[in-house]
Amino acid sequence: MSNLNKEQQRACCYTEGPLLILAGAGSGKTRVITHRIAYLIDELGINPYNILAITFTNKAANEMRERVDNLVGFGSESIWVSTFHSMCVRILRKHIDKIGGTRDFSIYDTDEQKVVMKEVIKYLNLDPKLYPEKAMLSAISKAKENYMSPDDYEREHATSFRDQQVANIYREYQKRLKSNNALDFDDLIYQTIFLFETNPDALAEYQERFKYIMVDEYQDTNHTQFVLVKQLAAKYRNLCVVGDDDQSIYKFRGANIYNILNFEETYPDSEVVRLEQNYRSTKNILNAANAVIAHNNGRKEKKLWTENEEGDKVRFTRYANEYEEAERIAMKIRSLNRRGVSYDDIAILYRTNNQSRVFEEKLIYENIPYKLYGGTNFYSRKEIRDMVSYLKLLVNPSDDTAVKRIINVPKRGIGDTTINKINDFAIDNGINFYDAVVDIDEVPGMSRAAEKIKKFAELIDELKAMLEEEGVFISEVYDALIEKTGYINELMAEGTDEAKARIENIEELKNKIVKYEEEAENPNLTELLEDISLVADVDEGDEDSEKVTLMTLHSAKGLEFSYVFIGGMEEGLFPSQMSMDSDDPDAVEEERRLCYVGITRAMRELYLSAAAQRMIRGNTCYSNISRFIEEIPEEYIDKSGNISDASFGGEFGIGFGQSVIRKPISNIGFGRPKTNQSDYGKNNPYAKKSYGSNPSANPGFGKAFPMGDNSSSDYKVGDKVRHIKFGTGTVISVVPAGSDKEITVDFERVGEKRMFASLVKMKKL
């Protein structure tokens, strides 16, 4: 153990009784687990057969298995190194007959679960729009994670008619799984617990085998995983759990932080070892991380330290908008690469998936290769391809690929057989697919499908007619498209995290459209689609070539990069608006843990940034700087704008104690956003601080956000004006806002809009 520090050695040598290893970011926890296993075998003579090590992913299990084999050598194959699910499969293959199953059971994946659920909904004569397959599977999964049977679920939700129906669906779903001799992934753990509860002999067999148990990433365990581990460790109590409560960021997946926070209550005789020496980051990065996470109440006290160099201060820059933010980050990455930094050593992190679009586009424009970790390029995502296909059809009815993609999206009851018949008719008559759709009465064998096809054609005709109307914007047609197809409504009904992310992506495409309308001289849909195609058609390149990594903060856990950029450090985005509005006191604390994870990914340099204004659902919103920036002491952070060499003299002229959101272009589509994104700025200690000087004496953003020449935009109440997008209107209010003016215009077509004189594309008539 000569290569271990003092606390790592203590963790390895404490082998009898419960042990909690609080392993801070970059503190070498995997090394400790593998050396602890080697110590048990080599020094204490423990039989490898009696050791169990549980990880969360197959990748982690394989890495640990490889390290253990290298350290231990002969006999290491007897050690169980596995995920929770693979462990349970092995146990159930041997003992499931004791609870009424057979050993040749199937394990259903997500697609197979959907097939069963579809049958259940139909059998119970329920409306699939009111009880969507994904939403029902999600509800059942959560019930199983809490070890609730259908009867338990029914009792727990006795006052809700809908939840009573969910209980019926759950019961029928389980009945069908049983008749199919199948288990889903949640069943693997659920049924293993049930086996141990009802068959003491089976439990005793594994308690006797696993005398020494180690669990990695314990902060990510859910309720059933906690129960299962407790069952297995009950006899010998030699349970070692390793984790970091400060990196508990998967509550949305069922993780329960209290499993690690309350470990000492569950096991009063437990020993606690804190691994606080970090081998990854510079002192300044660690100090910044410690300062942020110290604001959380629900945590175990620890403070990371390192013998690494002091390093540069964390850099924070506030840009005019998300486009400048992405552009400047891309330019900085280019500069780093020219200095000899490999693209592989650079990562851009962000809070939500939809933020990737602007970063992707700017990297493409700068010809910087990139890869999305654990995700799909923005324009390759299903929902975006669907929306773009609709838009393509409006200007090019000959695009058969686009028509076929969306003729049954969302589902209209137009199946593959019908589509094939239309396609055959089109080929036989030498016409394109959409012409055959329009002439559906001429297509043989349509019967009941004909009316559904006609409704689809009517929808396309309505949207085409709207697009051709004078004064109507592409963004308005896009809103109408979303409303008339019901695409977002269907996703909302799913109620899953995946559906929520897809909705955010659809809204981000609206931002792209509005931005294009604002910048193009003569906006038209054909040109917009060309622009999208040029960005979307990116050569993936050589898999082995260097690439910048783009990923969400959730995906970044466990990884490290020499240079890290975290964008979107704004209230309402990070921390998220949902967490700020939540009644759960842990919601914002989990966001802060996510920030801590992001900061501690950086090894050498960390760049944080925010946008003064960001487009949300097609509307320009002004945001406060994230509280997490304010929580980093000045001695560890440089707020002078090092990325763009811009100097931020103070708060933006309008002040960031409040958020201003312009009214939506129309009432169609996404609905009306709140007029205040957050109440946080009104009464919190962070929002009113400024950077570097008195905001009233030096408003604005200096070089990074030129406010323009107000003399050329000297609007007065009563002035007649024309806006590039909103058309003609009358100025009804002019209010000073720092060095700028906030003007309100009553437009003839879209009503009142609030804008800043120096930014608005408008002229007096």
Side-chain angles (χ1 to χ4, degrees), residues 357-368:
R357 178 187 69 86
V358 182
F359 288 120
E360 288 184 66
E361 290 186 1
K362 296 302 182 185
L363 290 173
I364 290 168
Y365 295 152
E366 288 290 325
N367 199 28
I368 297 173

Side-chain angles (χ1 to χ4, degrees), residues 431-445:
I431 60 177
N432 62 53
F433 188 88
Y434 188 70
D435 285 340
V437 167
V438 173
D439 294 334
I440 195 64
D441 287 334
E442 304 299 319
V443 180

Side-chain angles (χ1 to χ4, degrees), residues 285 341 344-347 560-564 601-606:
I285 290 172
V341 176
D344 287 339
D345 293 331
I346 303 171
E560 59 184 35
F561 300 89
S562 295
Y563 300 85
V564 170
R601 297 313 93 196
M603 300 167 68
R604 294 188 60 184
E605 293 181 14
L606 173 64

Side-chain angles (χ1 to χ4, degrees), residues 3-68:
N3 63 338
L4 301 183
N5 65 40
K6 184 179 177 182
E7 289 304 295
Q8 289 174 333
Q9 290 181 16
R10 190 160 77 90
C12 287
C13 296
Y14 190 92
T15 59
E16 306 302 310
L19 172 65
L20 169 61
I21 301 176
L22 290 171
S27 62
K29 68 180 178 64
T30 306
R31 185 194 309 171
V32 170
I33 295 172
T34 52
H35 278 72
R36 191 173 189 272
I37 291 172
Y39 180 82
L40 285 168
I41 296 169
D42 293 343
E43 299 296 326
L44 302 185
I46 303 300
N47 190 331
Y49 180 84
N50 295 130
I51 299 173
L52 167 67
I54 305 175
T55 67
F56 265 80
T57 65
N58 289 320
K59 180 183 177 184
N62 292 335
E63 287 177 358
M64 188 175 294
R65 162 61 67 190
E66 189 176 339
R67 289 206 200 184
V68 168

Side-chain angles (χ1 to χ4, degrees), residues 228-325:
L228 180 61
V229 168
K230 192 176 179 184
Q231 285 178 320
L232 289 170
K235 182 173 183 180
Y236 288 98
R237 304 181 80 257
N238 297 325
L239 171 63
C240 168
V241 301
V242 185
D244 182 4
D245 52 298
D246 289 335
Q247 296 187 73
S248 179
I249 58 173
Y250 296 125
K251 188 173 185 177
F252 67 97
R253 293 183 191 166
N256 185 354
I257 191 173
Y258 293 101
N259 290 347
I260 192 167
L261 290 180
N262 296 339
F263 185 83
E264 292 159 275
E265 293 180 20
T266 307
Y267 300 96
D269 58 335
S270 61
E271 182 77 4
V272 179
V273 176
R274 288 174 168 80
L275 304 183
E276 297 172 303
Q277 183 174 359
N278 175 284
Y279 294 92
R280 175 188 299 157
S281 307
T282 64
K283 287 184 172 70
N284 269 315
I285 290 172
L286 285 188
N287 288 334
N290 286 331
V292 170
I293 201 64
H295 285 75
N296 270 6
N297 293 317
R299 65 184 295 261
K300 299 274 190 183
E301 185 60 39
K302 60 183 168 300
K303 190 171 184 179
L304 296 182
W305 61 276
T306 185
E307 293 179 348
N308 294 342
E309 62 183 359
E310 192 83 15
D312 293 340
K313 285 186 177 183
V314 174
R315 288 147 182 158
F316 172 70
T317 309
R318 193 182 203 184
Y319 295 106
N321 52 49
E322 69 268 39
Y323 298 94
E324 186 187 14
E325 177 185 43

Side-chain angles (χ1 to χ4, degrees), residues 630-692:
E630 296 287 356
E631 291 169 358
I632 302 175
E634 290 184 3
E635 57 263 38
Y636 309 132
I637 188 168
D638 179 355
K639 297 176 181 176
S640 63
N642 292 355
I643 296 180
S644 65
D645 295 323
S647 174
F648 295 115
E651 298 278 20
F652 184 42
I654 63 165
F656 275 75
Q658 58 181 350
S659 298
V660 179
I661 300 182
R662 293 188 295 180
K663 294 180 184 176
I665 294 171
S666 69
N667 291 331
I668 330 176
F670 299 114
R672 240 173 237 282
K674 298 176 183 177
T675 51
N676 279 307
Q677 247 192 317
S678 164
D679 288 329
Y680 176 74
K682 294 177 182 176
N683 52 20
N684 75 87
Y686 309 114
K688 298 184 180 179
K689 293 181 183 177
S690 62
Y691 301 137

Side-chain angles (χ1 to χ4, degrees), residues 116 131 134 170 186 339 500 529 642 662 685 699 715 733:
V116 175
Y131 299 91
K134 287 185 180 179
Y170 182 7
D186 294 307
R339 281 167 35 196
K500 178 173 175 283
L529 290 169
N642 292 355
R662 293 188 295 180
Y715 299 99
S733 170

